[in-house]
Amino acid sequence: MALSMLKSRSAFASPSKKNIRRDIQGLRAFAVLAVVADHLVGWPTGGFIGVDVFFVISGFIITGQLLREKESTGNISFSGFYQRRVRRILPASLVAITVTVLAAFAFLPKGRASDTLTDGIWALLFSGNWRFAVAGTDYFQEGQPPSPIQHFWSLGVEEQFYFVWPWLMLLLFWIVAKRGNASSGRVLVGWVMVALIMVSFGWAVYETTTNPAWAYFSTFSRAWELGVGAFLAVISPILTRIPSALRPVLAWLGLAGMAASLFVVNAVSGFPAPGAALPVLSTGLVILAGTGGPVRYLLPLTNRVSGYIGDISYSLYLWHWPVIVLLVAFMPAGTPTYYIAAGSLGLALSVVSYHFVENRFRNAPKRKRGHRQRPFDAKAQALGISMISLAVLTSAVAGFALIKSAPAESPVSIELPASKAVPLPGALAVTPEKETSKCLGAGALDPKNSCTPDSLGEAILPSIDTFARDNGDSFKCWREQSKPLNSCSIGSVQPDAIRMALVGDSHAASLIPAIQEFAAANNWKVDVFVGYSCQWMEQRPGYDCYDVMQEIRAKLETGDPYAAVLTTAARGKTGTDVEYAASMFANAWQPVAERGTKVLAIADVPSVNPEALSCLTRVGFDVKKNDCATPLTEANATADPQLRAADLVPGSRIVDLSPQFCTDKCPAVIGNAIVYRDAAAHITATYAKTLAPYLNEQLTAALK
């Protein structure tokens, strides 16, 4: 009976407008409201599963359309299919991307604006998910604010799926037709989809475990979600036989599962697989319950408000995220005013986009051969030409802006207070450089300098446009993730130079511009061993830097001992058990300290609130008021296990630069110098150089 129903064409006739699935419109409303709430207010914490709901809906709707066309006409018109997709997707997305890129160049730092333009191009090519997958695994993107076009990744996944799935369906129908049994095409399609779901889900589980950032954006790890919807469309003739009394039960079970997903699904652990299984299967329950007839008593999904939100859900999805990201350029996030403004503006833009862009193109009548062009057609074409012209103009203007003001990859050339070399045995005699303003950067917090807000005027270093890329030489010998050791030396090249080493992660690398200011003058030759996950602690096999750290430890524990080893590590990267992390640091330091080498642990810099960085890029920021800061309690909320480790290892010392970062708060700009280049607490090369006198003073005192 089931097989005969799958072979029947009439069992899946094309629905009329009167039979539009109101429950599916309600599902769309649920999905988009969940996503918007999660992005805007961070609650419910699992609101991101709205995207998974969209995937299931899309797989069901599109596959159903393709099956109806094949079974009613005997063929699938790919030109017609892709024309419908273009008319449905491209106009609204093109407008949203164009406006977002223009706003980015108007209100964001040039570096972020240029990145937004690049993101927009990838999004228009329906490949944004791969762009953001790469960024998600790029260590140097850590702590950077999100792209205002990042949400386009889901459209990339959908469209890539539809570049393949219709052709595969046609191939399967052709195979069964060649074997003389065309009526079994739907059965074969169903079995193939089951296989694809299983393979994709299995791959998603593996990739979630090994590379969760990549798994989140990958089409291969997400295809099973669209596949579940597609499978429901394939077996829809069977679903029409579900008893009417059972339909509300199934629908409410599905709705309950979707609601539970908002609170029990975790984006960090086991997502998208197996975590997404609950919202995906729950959405499938609601869809199958309504296949073959409307479900009674499902008012949360079938009321008029849910229906309208479902209608505008695509435009609302396109516009809510750019508004949330770009509005921070004008007001602090997380305030009632921000929530009201972002919600109102996002909704208004969505309504306008739906009625004047989406519907204009999606519902525009096709022009038949020999018929005179209707006025509406002319207006639609004119609007399309205008949109494309605007996009081209935007690209040209943005490209010109990039050429004229490309962000610098190295810090701005500035004069800094000279670092006085402290004579040590074997040190070279040097003449201190001419000192300039002592109030620039860290010196502004030094009480003996008596600095005021007017000491340096209104200039900010590095500029707002370049601070996110102000690395200097921090990463010139950086060991990248899963790569071999890439060491180098800085400082003195004299044969009698004092041998020292710098070991650690990216926070250690960020101190290199400071150490370069005085190492040569002190006749220090500093061997640099810094890299991804390379905290100088006892590491377990399988850890990304385990093999490299064994190589580093061999260099530190054999041969001529170093005079000192400098080390630091990001306080949030060594686990939540401070005592355990401290013991792992101590285990690594102890053999080196026993050789007579001094271990100088530089206390990690205070953490920075992302809002503090957003604040300094805000339109109208005044460096003299300098009200962008992280509360002191928040900056030091995460304990630094190195402080405890130093108590466990005789011969080790703590070097503490916290007075050069905080007083009663930790400003994002100190002495007209931007302190951090991202929310992962990597300091700018400019600020690192202003730390040089204070770091030099403490290191040389510890070495005497």
Side-chain angles (χ1 to χ4, degrees):
M1 179 65 176
L3 181 60
S4 63
M5 290 195 66
L6 284 177
K7 294 178 179 179
S8 172
R9 295 184 182 181
S10 61
F12 198 56
S14 179
S16 66
K17 291 184 178 180
K18 294 181 180 180
N19 294 324
I20 289 177
R21 295 279 298 267
R22 295 174 62 187
D23 58 335
I24 288 183
Q25 290 302 90
L27 286 175
R28 287 189 171 112
F30 175 94
V32 76
L33 290 178
V35 171
V36 171
D38 179 41
H39 287 167
L40 181 58
V41 300
W43 187 92
T45 54
F48 55 85
I49 61 95
V51 173
D52 306 278
V53 175
F54 276 128
F55 284 157
V56 180
I57 295 172
S58 180
F60 177 77
I61 296 295
I62 299 302
T63 303
Q65 291 174 350
L66 293 170
L67 286 171
R68 286 194 296 271
E69 181 179 2
K70 178 65 176 70
E71 294 174 347
S72 62
T73 67
N75 195 16
I76 294 176
S77 172
F78 289 102
S79 61
F81 172 75
Y82 291 118
Q83 284 178 21
R84 290 192 300 271
R85 294 303 297 166
V86 167
R87 291 169 65 182
R88 174 73 178 96
I89 298 297
L90 194 57
S93 62
L94 180 58
V95 171
I97 290 172
T98 300
V99 172
T100 300
V101 170
L102 288 173
F105 274 94
F107 306 119
L108 297 182
K110 288 185 175 62
R112 284 191 67 194
S114 63
D115 289 342
T116 302
L117 173 61
T118 303
D119 296 341
I121 294 172
W122 279 85
L124 285 175
L125 297 174
F126 302 117
S127 303
N129 59 314
W130 301 118
R131 158 81 170 172
F132 298 119
V134 172
T137 56
D138 184 355
Y139 190 79
F140 297 102
Q141 295 295 322
E142 182 185 20
Q144 295 294 342
S147 167
I149 296 179
Q150 182 168 310
H151 62 312
F152 274 82
W153 73 268
S154 62
L155 297 182
V157 170
E158 282 196 26
E159 298 314 309
Q160 289 161 32
F161 182 84
Y162 295 130
F163 281 136
V164 177
W165 178 230
W167 294 94
L168 180 57
M169 285 180 61
L170 188 63
L171 175 63
L172 296 174
F173 278 111
W174 177 82
I175 290 174
V176 296
K178 292 291 286 184
R179 298 177 64 180
N181 191 15
S183 59
S184 63
R186 184 189 285 262
V187 176
L188 180 60
V189 169
W191 281 114
V192 169
M193 181 48 68
V194 169
L196 290 176
I197 291 171
M198 294 176 64
V199 170
S200 175
F201 184 78
W203 176 255
V205 171
Y206 168 77
E207 200 164 39
T208 298
T209 303
T210 58
N211 195 343
W214 192 269
Y216 190 89
F217 295 106
S218 171
T219 302
F220 304 111
S221 299
R222 294 288 193 159
W224 67 276
E225 302 181 34
L226 290 113
V228 168
F231 180 72
L232 290 174
V234 173
I235 66 170
S236 57
I238 298 176
L239 303 181
T240 60
R241 305 293 294 177
I242 297 175
S244 298
L246 185 58
R247 293 180 183 277
V249 177
L250 295 175
W252 275 100
L253 281 175
L255 192 57
M258 291 165 56
S261 300
L262 298 175
F263 303 97
V264 302
V265 176
N266 191 321
V268 178
S269 177
F271 195 88
L278 178 59
V280 167
L281 296 179
S282 298
T283 304
L285 269 180
V286 177
I287 291 176
L288 70 85
T291 301
V295 179
R296 295 176 295 172
Y297 317 121
L298 201 60
L299 189 61
L301 297 182
T302 58
N303 65 81
R304 291 186 177 182
V305 175
S306 295
Y308 183 73
I309 296 175
D311 290 342
I312 67 170
S313 59
Y314 177 56
S315 283
L316 185 55
Y317 182 80
L318 292 182
W319 285 103
H320 84 281
W321 182 246
V323 169
I324 288 173
V325 173
L326 294 173
L327 198 60
V328 178
F330 299 93
M331 62 181 67
T335 64
T337 302
Y338 172 80
Y339 292 144
I340 294 172
S344 301
L345 182 57
L347 181 60
L349 289 171
S350 303
V351 171
V352 172
S353 173
Y354 171 70
H355 289 286
F356 295 98
V357 180
E358 270 195 78
N359 282 349
R360 284 289 182 94
F361 283 87
R362 183 173 51 187
N363 300 328
K366 295 181 180 179
R367 181 186 177 190
K368 297 181 180 180
R369 183 177 300 178
H371 284 211
R372 184 177 180 182
Q373 189 177 34
R374 296 173 61 182
F376 181 78
D377 296 331
K379 292 180 180 179
Q381 290 181 12
L383 180 59
I385 293 173
S386 300
M387 289 164 51
I388 294 172
S389 300
L390 181 60
V392 172
L393 178 61
T394 301
S395 301
V397 172
F400 178 76
L402 288 176
I403 294 173
K404 296 295 289 183
S405 56
E409 295 295 335
S410 58
V412 180
S413 178
I414 56 175
E415 275 195 293
L416 298 167
S419 300
K420 295 184 176 66
V422 178
L424 293 171
L428 297 177
V430 296
T431 302
E433 299 176 8
K434 179 181 179 181
E435 296 191 10
T436 56
S437 174
K438 296 180 179 180
C439 293
L440 179 64
L445 296 185
D446 192 336
K448 69 175 180 288
N449 290 337
S450 301
C451 299
T452 67
D454 295 322
S455 297
L456 295 169
E458 298 181 357
I460 301 178
L461 295 174
S463 74
I464 295 297
D465 289 327
T466 63
F467 81 95
R469 291 175 167 84
D470 188 23
N471 298 327
D473 290 332
S474 296
F475 301 100
K476 72 174 185 178
C477 52
W478 171 256
R479 177 260 173 186
E480 297 181 3
Q481 183 177 5
S482 303
K483 296 295 179 64
L485 179 65
N486 179 30
S487 62
C488 67
S489 299
I490 59 176
S492 176
V493 295
Q494 299 299 318
D496 62 343
I498 301 171
R499 295 177 63 248
M500 303 174 69
L502 173 67
V503 184
D505 58 14
S506 57
H507 281 212
S510 295
L511 292 175
I512 289 176
I515 297 172
Q516 284 177 321
E517 290 291 296
F518 54 79
N522 288 344
N523 198 27
W524 295 352
K525 178 186 178 184
V526 183
D527 295 335
V528 177
F529 308 113
V530 294
Y532 178 87
S533 294
C534 292
Q535 296 89 359
W536 187 25
M537 61 192 304
E538 186 174 354
Q539 299 184 0
R540 303 303 184 194
Y543 204 65
D544 186 80
C545 195
Y546 175 78
D547 292 334
V548 172
M549 187 52 64
Q550 304 316 303
E551 184 180 351
I552 294 172
R553 292 181 67 171
K555 293 179 180 295
L556 300 178
E557 297 173 15
T558 60
D560 293 336
Y562 284 97
V565 177
L566 318 179
T567 186
T568 193
R571 62 178 75 206
K573 298 293 187 180
T574 54
T576 57
D577 189 335
V578 176
E579 290 299 321
Y580 176 75
S583 67
M584 293 297 99
F585 277 114
N587 290 345
W589 299 355
Q590 186 70 43
V592 177
E594 289 177 350
R595 305 183 74 218
T597 298
K598 290 191 175 183
V599 176
L600 305 182
I602 303 170
D604 189 34
V605 298
S607 302
V608 59
N609 189 319
E611 168 57 27
L613 295 181
S614 298
C615 172
L616 69 90
T617 62
R618 192 160 294 141
V619 175
F621 169 72
D622 186 349
V623 69
K624 291 185 178 180
K625 293 181 180 179
N626 198 14
D627 53 355
C628 301
T630 302
L632 185 61
T633 54
E634 181 179 349
N636 293 319
T638 302
D640 185 353
Q642 296 174 112
L643 305 183
R644 172 62 179 145
D647 294 333
L648 302 176
V649 180
S652 62
R653 292 279 300 274
I654 288 293
V655 174
D656 188 3
L657 296 173
S658 57
Q660 280 68 53
F661 287 88
C662 307
T663 52
D664 57 335
K665 60 182 180 180
C666 305
V669 178
I670 298 176
N672 287 46
I674 297 176
V675 180
Y676 300 98
R677 58 183 179 82
D678 56 38
H682 295 112
I683 61 176
T684 64
T686 298
Y687 196 75
K689 288 185 176 183
T690 71
L691 287 172
Y694 305 96
L695 180 59
N696 183 30
E697 181 180 10
Q698 291 199 49
L699 291 178
T700 52
L703 285 171
K704 282 185 178 179

